[in-house]
Amino acid sequence: MSGTNTTHRSSSISSSSAGESSTQHLAEIVVTAAQHNQKSSNIVQLRLSNLKLHGRENDIKLLRGKLRELAKKKDGDAAAEENNNHEDTNKNNLILVSGTCGTGKSALIQKGLGKDASKIGCTFTSGKFDAKLRSPLSAFSDAMTNLARYITVEHEKKGKSPSGGLPIATLIRDQIQNEFDDDDVEQLRRVLPGCAELLGARRSSLFGPSSEAEAAVPHRSASGSKLDSLKRHSGKESISRVHYAIRRLLLYAHI
Amino acid sequence: MKGVVLFIDDLQWSDIATLELLKSIVLDREIPSLLIVGAYREDEVPE
């Protein structure tokens, strides 16, 4: 036991000499804590977040159960369509985990769901809000950026695209540009900065309205009717736009 | 891909737009196989 302590301690000290003040500060806390606590090796391990979760078996079971349901749902979709039974299969699940600071909420979800999701063919994407950076939708934007990157990489890896030889990013971009007008796309670009590739370059600002863009107008108004109704109904236009873009992205994630 | 797990952490620091968006996405039946997980500090949720 004491042997491990020494190793951990020396690694903390060496990282403090690297010069980063926050690392140094953290290292000092760990060393101080280690000197005052017999279970010092646990403290260091916590910092490395290699600890196994204890006493969370029931919570993990519940989370993994939901994960399995999610994976099964896709297989069940076709059967449900035949029976015209969308009610049960198309429900999205929402799990809320609450607790005070430091009770292990994030660790539970990362370890209980994040690691298992890829094993059963699901994608795990996450984002977190920041107390100092109060930017609306920031966590959503981060999570969607991760997902967009994942979709692009996955489809390139597979070396095939759902229709024709076009890369997936191009397909999504074309679809979004057909269904949103330039102002909408501009706003989406602000809200989801990491999805720039999927949202495409600014279309008409440099070259003026091209014949291509004009030709796309009737098509856009036809397919965008659903979006228009979403917009008018809620009066919360920006949320509807983001919602619609996220729906697109999630639909493509399932191809 | 079989499904997407969307994890949003520290919801106590989120905003009205996020909560509205979460609500509309949870209720959107056109989105297939989505599991949304949110975490928040119960003692730090603003009134």
Side-chain angles (χ1 to χ4, degrees):
Chain A
M1 192 68 168
S2 63
T4 23
N5 287 352
T6 325
T7 341
H8 283 306
R9 261 187 236 178
S10 64
S11 73
S12 299
I13 292 163
S14 69
S15 67
S16 75
S17 64
E20 281 178 43
S21 59
S22 60
T23 321
Q24 190 174 354
H25 187 61
L26 188 58
E28 277 168 9
I29 293 171
V30 171
V31 172
T32 319
Q35 284 163 350
H36 286 90
N37 197 320
Q38 290 296 314
K39 292 174 182 169
S40 55
S41 61
N42 279 349
I43 294 169
V44 179
Q45 277 176 340
L46 260 176
R47 205 181 124 219
L48 299 170
S49 63
N50 281 332
L51 267 186
K52 203 173 165 283
L53 294 176
H54 292 280
R56 293 284 188 213
E57 288 79 7
N58 288 339
D59 302 315
I60 290 178
K61 207 188 255 179
L62 190 144
L63 288 174
R64 291 191 178 155
K66 288 287 169 200
L67 192 62
R68 276 195 299 275
E69 271 177 37
L70 179 73
K72 271 187 203 155
K73 220 157 62 164
K74 199 186 181 188
D75 305 330
D77 273 356
E81 257 169 58
E82 282 172 22
N83 301 330
N84 281 335
N85 183 16
H86 287 277
E87 292 298 307
D88 296 318
T89 50
N90 268 6
K91 261 185 206 160
N92 294 317
N93 269 306
L94 171 70
I95 299 174
L96 286 175
V97 181
S98 69
T100 50
C101 169
T103 40
K105 302 180 293 298
S106 309
L108 172 70
I109 295 159
Q110 299 280 358
K111 289 176 182 173
L113 276 183
K115 285 186 175 175
D116 277 47
S118 60
K119 280 187 206 160
I120 62 167
C122 292
T123 308
F124 183 86
T125 183
S126 67
K128 80 193 249 111
F129 283 100
D130 194 304
K132 296 190 186 89
L133 180 93
R134 291 288 184 115
S135 157
L137 298 174
S138 63
F140 242 104
S141 171
D142 291 347
M144 285 300 128
T145 303
N146 288 338
L147 185 64
R149 274 199 205 115
Y150 182 84
I151 295 171
T152 315
V153 170
E154 273 304 293
H155 279 270
E156 273 167 19
K157 233 192 277 174
K158 277 189 211 156
K160 58 167 187 172
S161 61
S163 72
L166 290 170
I168 187 78
T170 313
L171 283 174
I172 298 180
R173 191 170 58 225
D174 288 353
Q175 193 125 14
I176 285 177
Q177 294 209 339
N178 272 335
E179 293 176 33
F180 292 78
D181 59 35
D182 286 350
D183 290 341
D184 290 343
V185 176
E186 190 53 42
Q187 199 201 10
L188 279 174
R189 213 176 277 124
R190 276 200 301 272
V191 178
L192 307 171
C195 301
E197 199 199 344
L198 292 177
L199 296 173
R202 201 181 294 220
R203 206 168 24 171
S204 56
S205 57
L206 287 174
F207 307 103
S210 66
S211 56
E212 207 183 322
E214 278 167 35
V217 169
H219 177 51
R220 184 201 302 157
S221 56
S223 61
S225 57
K226 192 171 270 176
L227 175 66
D228 290 341
S229 71
L230 261 176
K231 272 198 246 175
R232 273 190 228 108
H233 268 293
S234 62
K236 286 163 184 156
E237 295 185 14
S238 58
I239 293 172
S240 299
R241 282 188 199 116
V242 182
H243 175 180
Y244 202 76
I246 287 172
R247 185 198 283 167
R248 276 267 154 264
L249 210 53
L250 287 168
L251 283 168
Y252 272 109
H254 289 277
I255 290 172
Chain B
M1 202 181 301
K2 286 180 176 169
V4 173
V5 181
L6 173 66
F7 171 37
I8 305 289
D9 204 357
D10 284 323
L11 276 172
Q12 75 279 358
W13 294 319
S14 70
D15 48 280
I16 299 290
T18 297
L19 299 179
E20 288 285 340
L21 185 61
L22 265 181
K23 190 171 92 184
S24 64
I25 285 173
V26 171
L27 298 175
D28 186 348
R29 284 167 183 274
E30 285 182 44
I31 298 175
S33 306
L34 174 68
L35 174 61
I36 303 169
V37 187
Y40 62 93
R41 297 180 185 176
E42 58 193 1
D43 53 336
E44 290 181 38
V45 178
E47 289 300 312

